[in-house]
Every structure is written in structure tokens, then in C-alpha cells.
Amino acid sequence: MNDLALRTVNLTKRYGRVTALDDLSLEVPAGEVFGFLGPNGAGKSTTIRMLLGQARPTAGRAWVLGTDAADVARAHRQLAYVPADVALWPQLTGAEILHLQAATGPGTDLAYRDELVERFALDTAKAARTYSTGNRQKVALVAAFATRAPLLVLDEPTSGLDPLMEREFRTAVAQARDRGQAVFLSSHQLAEVEAVCDRVAILRAGRLVEVATIEHLRGLHRAEVTVSYTGAPPPDLDAVPGVAAFEQVSPGRLRFSLVGAPAPALRALAAAEVTALAIREPTLEEIFLDYYGAVEINR
């Protein structure tokens, strides 16, 4: 298996005067779960269409396991794709669809597929025309996770799934990673991405804003610290590096935001006879909104 499951260099797509994707360069190694984040219109779907060979880039290139994405037949032998809106053959049963996909795809672990059918509570005896949105999604997910394709491309894959099935989805993603498969997960479900991804890319208006681990992203943004203390006077945090938005909540209790290492703040609190200290890290959603909020403020 190639070291890189997915690579793009200066990938750009323009529709007339509109730039849908601008100079995207990414690398996703084998065995990584990579989150691709952005609101509607950010360029996520455009990127996926070019990775799948459904659209030609205006500039730049993309590779799937070392194969140029423009070589659609060869590239597709190495990936499995779950679209945001799954369409199935209406007259076929779920079992027939899974059999057909196994026969035409890059290889399927049939025992694992049967296990996934049970875990996702999918009734494969029914005709696809009777399936709800969630059940159509389950068919596509079971087929993708059961394949042995080195790369799984998942576009908003949990739309229509209930919370129990979302938990099964997260388990299946972790198992795919353990087998060495790369997972490229395009989503705006931030809790989902936060739960399963090793790294994330944030896309804004067609341009890449950030690529980092979730832990690194959190480190770049402010954590909220709440402190209870019995000492007097209150601790002086005005000149402490990384401390901002200092607030005396009540006598003996204060709150502030913190960027970076907590050691300077902890030293400043040492003389205050602290009785309780809680640090709440920002969620990925707060980080995401922070990026977009900063753009709005600067407009």
C-alpha cells in the first residue's frame, strides 16, 4: 500500500468567474482518518468530484494511491465512496445490492460484511424502494466498510442515521483505520469529526484555512478556566501570558480564558489557596466558528 492514500497539489476549480476551489494542496497517509470541514459552498463537494474523476480541475492534480485521479477506472479500483445522498437500484433487495457491489468492487470481506449488516440493523430482504434515507445510507456504509479498498471517501455519511447507528459508524471507522485503510471524511457534523478523526482540514470559501490535529487546533484556541479559592486578595492575572477575559464571577470564584501552556497561570494562582479548578477545552465546533467569526469581523 502506498504511503500516501490521497494527495492533491494546487488543485483548483473555476466555473466561469466563480472559483469553487482555490489552490488546494493536501496529503492523507494510509491508515489516517482525515476530516474535511466546511459549510455548504466551501468547496468540499467540488474537491470530492475531482478526486473521483467526476470533474476536471482547472489547475493542479490529484492522486489516489499514486494513481492520477484522472485515470478514473484505475483510481476507483482503490477506493470506496459513500455519497451524501445515496441512490440505490429500487427493484433490488439490500442483499442483492450488496452482492452486486461486492462482485464489482475492489474486494469484500464477506464475513465482516455480514457482521456489519447485523450491527447496523439492516434488513437486507427488503427492496431498496422501501428503504428510508437512513437505510439507504446503511447499505452504502456496509458496502464501503466491508471493502478492502485502501481509501474510503465518505461524504456526509451519517445523514439519516440515529444516534445508536452513529456509534456503530464510529466503531467501523476505527476498525478501518486499524486495518490500515485511509478514511477521507467530508462533514459538517463537527462532533462526529471530533470523535473519529486524526487530523482535520478547514475549508473556507474554496481556500484551505488550516490542517492540523484536533489537539493542535485546540491548543491554538482559548480554553475556559474556572477557579474557586479561599485566599485573599484575589490572584492577580492581568500580566500572566495567555490569560484573557478575566472575570470575578462571585466572591472566591473567578473565570478566565487561557491560550497555550497553563503553567504561568497556575503559578499565579499558587498563593490564592485554590480549592477547585476546572479547565474546559474548546470543542471543534467552537474552533470552527472562531475561524468563520474572525472572517465576518474583518469584513
Side-chain angles (χ1 to χ4, degrees), residues 245-299:
F246 179 90
E247 177 187 9
Q248 190 76 44
V249 178
S250 61
R253 191 164 181 263
L254 58 87
R255 183 185 299 121
F256 58 91
S257 59
L258 178 67
V259 171
L266 293 177
R267 284 194 293 268
L269 293 169
E273 299 178 24
V274 172
T275 58
L277 185 147
I279 300 178
R280 188 185 70 82
E281 292 187 333
T283 65
L284 189 56
E285 182 167 9
E286 289 169 326
I287 293 170
F288 186 71
L289 291 174
D290 192 16
Y291 278 116
Y292 283 88
V295 172
E296 293 299 324
I297 290 171
N298 291 330
R299 283 180 177 172

Side-chain angles (χ1 to χ4, degrees), residues 40-249:
N40 292 335
K44 304 191 307 299
S45 294
T46 298
T47 301
I48 288 176
R49 284 197 293 271
M50 287 189 285
L51 295 177
L52 298 176
Q54 297 173 349
R56 292 185 177 182
T58 305
R61 294 179 66 187
W63 293 265
V64 174
L65 276 298
T67 297
D68 194 318
D71 187 349
V72 177
R74 187 178 172 194
H76 277 238
R77 287 196 292 268
Q78 303 181 87
L79 66 83
Y81 170 54
V82 176
D85 186 13
V86 175
L88 303 174
W89 295 273
Q91 73 279 14
L92 298 183
T93 66
E96 289 169 335
I97 292 169
L98 289 174
H99 176 75
L100 177 62
Q101 290 179 323
T104 57
T108 296
D109 183 330
L110 298 180
Y112 185 55
R113 185 189 68 187
D114 293 342
E115 176 188 329
L116 288 170
V117 167
E118 292 295 324
R119 282 165 43 186
F120 280 96
L122 176 63
D123 185 350
T124 60
K126 290 184 176 181
R129 65 176 175 271
T130 70
Y131 280 155
S132 65
T133 299
N135 279 327
R136 291 198 302 272
Q137 205 72 22
K138 289 178 186 180
V139 172
L141 288 170
V142 168
F145 284 126
T147 186
R148 288 298 165 256
L151 173 64
L152 307 182
V153 178
L154 311 180
D155 187 6
E156 303 290 350
T158 60
S159 58
L161 297 186
D162 62 38
L164 183 61
M165 293 301 101
E166 288 179 5
R167 186 178 67 183
E168 293 297 343
F169 167 79
R170 294 176 184 183
T171 299
V173 169
Q175 291 173 335
R177 175 174 52 201
D178 292 344
R179 287 191 297 270
Q181 293 171 292
V183 180
F184 186 80
L185 173 58
S186 175
S187 180
H188 63 260
Q189 299 293 328
L190 301 177
E192 174 182 279
V193 171
E194 190 171 18
V196 301
C197 290
D198 302 307
R199 288 190 303 150
V200 296
I202 296 177
L203 205 63
R204 181 183 66 223
R207 292 193 64 86
L208 189 64
V209 176
E210 183 76 79
V211 178
T213 65
I214 290 174
E215 291 75 12
H216 179 69
L217 285 176
R218 283 178 176 155
L220 295 176
H221 293 264
R222 298 189 180 278
E224 183 182 270
V225 182
T226 303
V227 177
S228 298
Y229 61 94
T230 59
D236 182 7
L237 299 174
D238 287 340
V240 176
V243 171
F246 179 90
E247 177 187 9
Q248 190 76 44
V249 178

